[in-house]
Amino acid sequence: MSGPAPHTPRGPRGSRDPEYAVVIPTLGRPSLGACLRALAAAVDAGGPPPRRIVLVDDRPPYDSTPLAVDIPDRFQALVRSIPGCAGGPAAARNTGWEAAPEPWIVFLDDDVLPGPRWATDLAADLAAAGPATAGIQARITVPLPQDRPPTDWERNTAGLATSQWITADMAYRRSALEALGGFDERFPRAFREDADLALRALDAGWNLAIGSRRTTHPVRPAGRWVSVRTQAGNADDVLMNRLHGRGWWARAGAPRGRLPRHLAVTAAGAGALALTAARRPRAAAVSAALWLAGTAEFAAARILPGPRTRDEITTMALTSAVIPPVAAWHWTRGLLRHRRERPREPGPPPPNGTGHADRKRMDGPVR
C-alpha cells in the first residue's frame, strides 16, 4: 500500500487538514484518466491532496491485462490499483475503503470530473462535519446541450443532479462505514446501493450532509438499448422494499417511475396474445388496443421533450415497446429472488448518540 503524502498541509489557522483517501471503482473506461487529471488540477489549485488513491479494478478475473490509465505525476506515489471481484460497484467500494485506513473515504465514479475548487471545498466540508456526520455529498452538475433539447438518455443522466446521496462523489466517515457494514453487496449494479447505505445511516442516528464541493458528471455515450438495460434496476427496487419498507421512496427522494403502468401495458399485451390463441378475436382486439395506447403514450412522453430527430424518434418507438415487458420481467425476478429478505437491525449509533435519524440534509453554502 502506498505511504502517506510527502507533506501534511495545514489550514489557514494552522489546524491540520482532514485526512482522506479517494476510492474509485473502475472497469478501465477512458474517462478514468480525465477524472484523475481533474482531481490533480483541483489539488494543484491549492487544496490538500488525498493521502492515497485506491483504484479498484473491477473487470472480470479473466481480463488479466494491466489497467490502462495515465496517472498524473503528482499522484504517482499515491495511486494503488487493487483487484475487485467483478461483483459490482458496492463490492468494489467495500474492497476500496477496507484498503484505506484514512478517517474519511471519498468515493468517486470513474467518469466524473471534480471541480477546480474541489480539494479546497472538500477540506472545508470535512472540517465542518460533526462527530455524528456519517457522509457528505458533493453538488453534482450534469452538462446538457445548449443548442437543442436533451435526449431521453441525457434527461435520465441529468436526474443525478438532484439525486440524494449518490456515490458519484460521496465522502463517508470510515468509522460510520465500519459501524454500518459498508455497502450491501446484494445490490449488483450502480443502482440503489447508495440509497440503501444512506437510509441505514439515518436509521442508526447518523447525519448526512450536502457539502460545498462541486463535481461534473458528463453524459457518457450510450447505445440505442441503454434504457432497456437499465430496467434491471426494478429487481433492486424489490430488494429496497424488503429492506426498508415501501416508504423508502419518499425518504430517499427517489422518483417512483412507471412500473405500475409498465405492468398494466405488459398485461394488456399478454392478454391480447392469449385471447388470440383462445380464438376470442373481439376481446383480443380490445387488449391489443389497450397495449397500443399504453405504448404510444409512453413513447410520446419520451419523444415530446426531446430533440425529435429521426434517430431519437426511432429509438423511443422501439424501446417504448420493449421496456414494459422487460421491466415486468426484472420486477418478477426480484420478487422471486428476494422473497425471503427481511429488514436488518439498525447499526450502532454515532458517538454519544448525537445523531438525528430524521435529519437528511445540512445544506452548506453554494459556491
Side-chain angles (χ1 to χ4, degrees), residues 170-305:
M170 183 74 182
Y172 268 102
R173 192 184 295 275
R174 195 181 201 284
S175 59
L177 292 170
E178 292 172 343
L180 298 168
F183 293 88
D184 191 330
E185 297 181 13
R186 287 174 292 184
F187 292 93
R189 284 164 287 275
F191 192 69
R192 303 305 190 207
E193 84 292 350
D194 43 12
D196 167 73
L197 178 58
L199 291 179
R200 286 190 283 122
L202 293 169
D203 288 342
W206 293 88
N207 294 326
L208 296 172
I210 302 293
S212 58
R213 68 192 186 279
R214 290 189 174 276
T215 291
T216 298
H217 193 304
V219 179
R220 61 180 172 84
R224 168 165 287 175
W225 303 101
V226 62
S227 57
V228 177
R229 293 194 296 271
T230 60
Q231 299 309 309
N234 284 285
D236 302 318
D237 283 346
V238 173
L239 180 56
M240 288 291 288
N241 286 343
R242 300 295 192 201
L243 298 178
H244 300 284
R246 295 188 178 275
W248 74 266
W249 301 89
R251 294 182 60 210
R256 288 298 302 265
R258 298 176 62 103
L259 179 63
R261 296 186 188 186
H262 291 336
L263 295 177
V265 169
T266 300
L273 295 175
L275 290 167
T276 299
R279 298 183 179 180
R280 298 179 59 185
R282 291 185 179 180
V286 171
S287 287
L290 292 173
W291 171 85
L292 181 60
T295 301
E297 183 275 330
F298 182 36
R302 302 169 71 204
I303 291 170
L304 293 178

Side-chain angles (χ1 to χ4, degrees), residues 30-221:
S31 57
L32 175 59
C35 177
L36 291 174
R37 289 191 295 272
L39 184 60
V43 171
D44 287 338
R51 300 286 286 180
R52 74 191 73 241
I53 300 173
V54 181
L55 307 180
V56 184
D57 183 355
D58 207 37
R59 294 176 299 171
Y62 57 77
D63 189 347
S64 58
T65 59
L67 189 64
V69 58
D70 293 327
I71 299 173
D73 290 341
R74 73 148 36 245
F75 288 159
Q76 288 291 334
L78 303 182
V79 173
R80 180 190 178 194
S81 177
I82 61 176
C85 59
R93 292 191 191 103
N94 285 341
T95 298
W97 74 259
E98 288 168 358
E102 282 70 24
W104 284 97
I105 310 295
V106 183
F107 297 102
L108 294 178
D109 285 351
D110 69 354
D111 57 350
V112 301
L113 300 172
R117 288 182 49 87
W118 185 92
T120 300
D121 290 341
L122 172 68
D125 291 344
L126 302 185
T133 298
I136 307 173
Q137 180 182 329
R139 297 172 185 261
I140 304 297
T141 300
V142 178
L144 294 176
Q146 300 298 311
D147 59 340
R148 59 167 175 79
T151 64
D152 179 70
W153 175 240
E154 289 167 342
R155 295 193 303 274
N156 286 340
T157 304
L160 296 174
T162 55
S163 297
Q164 292 190 73
W165 324 132
I166 61 171
T167 41
D169 184 343
M170 183 74 182
Y172 268 102
R173 192 184 295 275
R174 195 181 201 284
S175 59
L177 292 170
E178 292 172 343
L180 298 168
F183 293 88
D184 191 330
E185 297 181 13
R186 287 174 292 184
F187 292 93
R189 284 164 287 275
F191 192 69
R192 303 305 190 207
E193 84 292 350
D194 43 12
D196 167 73
L197 178 58
L199 291 179
R200 286 190 283 122
L202 293 169
D203 288 342
W206 293 88
N207 294 326
L208 296 172
I210 302 293
S212 58
R213 68 192 186 279
R214 290 189 174 276
T215 291
T216 298
H217 193 304
V219 179
R220 61 180 172 84

